[in-house]
Amino acid sequence: MADQRIKVAFDGPVAVITAARPDKLNAFDIEMLKALAAACDEVEANAETRVAILTGEGKAFSAGGDIKAWGGMTPNEFGHAWVRFGHRVFERLATLRVPLIAAINGHALGGGLELAIAADIRIAERHVKIGLPETGLGMVPGWSGTQRLVRRAGAQVVRRMALGGEVFSADEAAVLGLVDHVVETGEAVAAARDYAARIAARGPAAVEVAKLMIAAANGEDNGTAVEALGSILVAKTGDLKEGLAAFSEKRAAKFAGEW
């Protein structure tokens, strides 16, 4: 049975992924991470989906990693079963084929901010706080807080959060580029749906390719971007059709250099 703490709903071209563990401020354990990866696969498999929204149930977006889930791990377990696995799941989320909008309806601290930064667009409610408190616990960000977050928001703002423990309001976060839009409390999901409709109205193939190109320019997932773009291009050529026909008919291919 699927973990019900990660919900996926489809509404036409929009998929909504919801972390649904409100009693724990939507903090993640291993099973939730697995469910999030499965949710990404479900979104990818839905051909109608053109954009996805990520949010949290209740008053929180996500408190990040559940301390009880990793607090008793050995260093080896913590590094591999927790940090590396969570890193792979968040990478999966960040590289969805469709644009992802984070509707930040509650505080995004630590792993919650790392979750939000995986999105292409971030819409935060005015009351939320944003930061990286890990060093105050004697640990460091582990789900790309010093990697993707640096690439997307800049090293200096990450230094202020990770080294200085600064916590920013939503308005401050918008000025710093941590979030893109600020809305009033209770309006993040509706605003995300409005933005999703804007994206969904554009050419889906162009949007998907543009996302890949931007990621490559930002030093993210270069190998996947290059191979995906190249494969899409070649898949439309007459040469590929000829190659497949020749293979099926057990004959030598006669390529004409047709694009």
Side-chain angles (χ1 to χ4, degrees):
M1 181 177 179
D3 193 319
Q4 297 302 306
R5 296 173 301 172
I6 296 292
K7 299 178 180 178
V8 183
F10 295 97
D11 182 10
V14 180
V16 180
I17 303 172
T18 304
R21 195 189 184 193
D23 57 316
K24 297 294 184 180
L25 301 179
N26 301 320
F28 278 76
D29 58 20
I30 290 292
E31 293 306 314
M32 282 182 71
L33 287 172
K34 292 178 181 178
L36 181 59
C40 290
D41 292 341
E42 190 174 349
V43 171
E44 291 272 10
N46 190 312
E48 293 184 12
T49 300
R50 296 188 179 186
V51 59
I53 295 171
L54 173 69
T55 193
E57 187 175 287
K59 65 180 182 179
F61 176 68
S62 172
D66 185 344
I67 293 177
K68 289 186 177 180
W70 58 262
M73 291 182 175
T74 67
N76 185 59
E77 290 171 336
F78 181 70
H80 292 85
W82 183 255
V83 174
R84 292 188 65 178
F85 179 66
H87 206 283
R88 290 198 301 273
V89 174
F90 279 27
E91 185 72 12
R92 180 75 180 88
L93 187 67
T95 56
L96 280 174
R97 65 172 177 82
V98 298
L100 177 66
I101 303 169
I104 308 173
N105 56 312
H107 300 333
L109 300 168
L113 177 54
E114 292 168 315
L115 181 68
I117 210 68
D120 299 288
I121 302 292
R122 285 167 292 284
I123 299 175
E125 295 182 3
R126 197 172 303 278
H127 71 283
V128 309
K129 301 296 183 183
I130 289 175
L132 293 173
E134 285 91 342
T135 55
L137 295 174
M139 61 180 298
V140 295
W143 289 343
S144 209
T146 62
Q147 304 301 308
R148 182 178 301 106
L149 184 53
V150 168
R151 290 192 295 268
R152 295 191 174 184
Q156 195 57 33
V157 67
V158 176
R159 287 188 180 100
R160 292 175 63 183
M161 292 187 292
L163 306 183
E166 292 188 50
V167 176
F168 301 116
S169 68
D171 288 318
E172 290 170 329
V175 172
L176 294 168
L178 288 164
V179 301
D180 301 292
H181 301 286
V182 178
V183 297
E184 298 305 320
T185 298
E187 297 180 1
V189 173
R193 285 187 175 278
D194 287 343
Y195 206 97
R198 172 188 294 203
I199 293 174
R202 308 180 78 80
V207 167
E208 182 176 345
V209 170
K211 175 172 176 171
L212 283 169
M213 293 169 68
I214 293 165
N218 203 38
E220 301 179 35
D221 203 33
N222 287 341
T224 298
V226 169
E227 292 188 352
L229 290 171
S231 297
I232 291 169
L233 176 62
V234 170
K236 296 179 181 294
T237 65
D239 276 358
L240 177 60
K241 293 177 182 177
E242 166 59 16
L244 292 174
F247 177 82
S248 177
E249 297 165 9
K250 295 181 172 55
R251 60 173 174 81
K254 298 179 180 179
F255 294 119
E258 294 181 6
W259 286 87

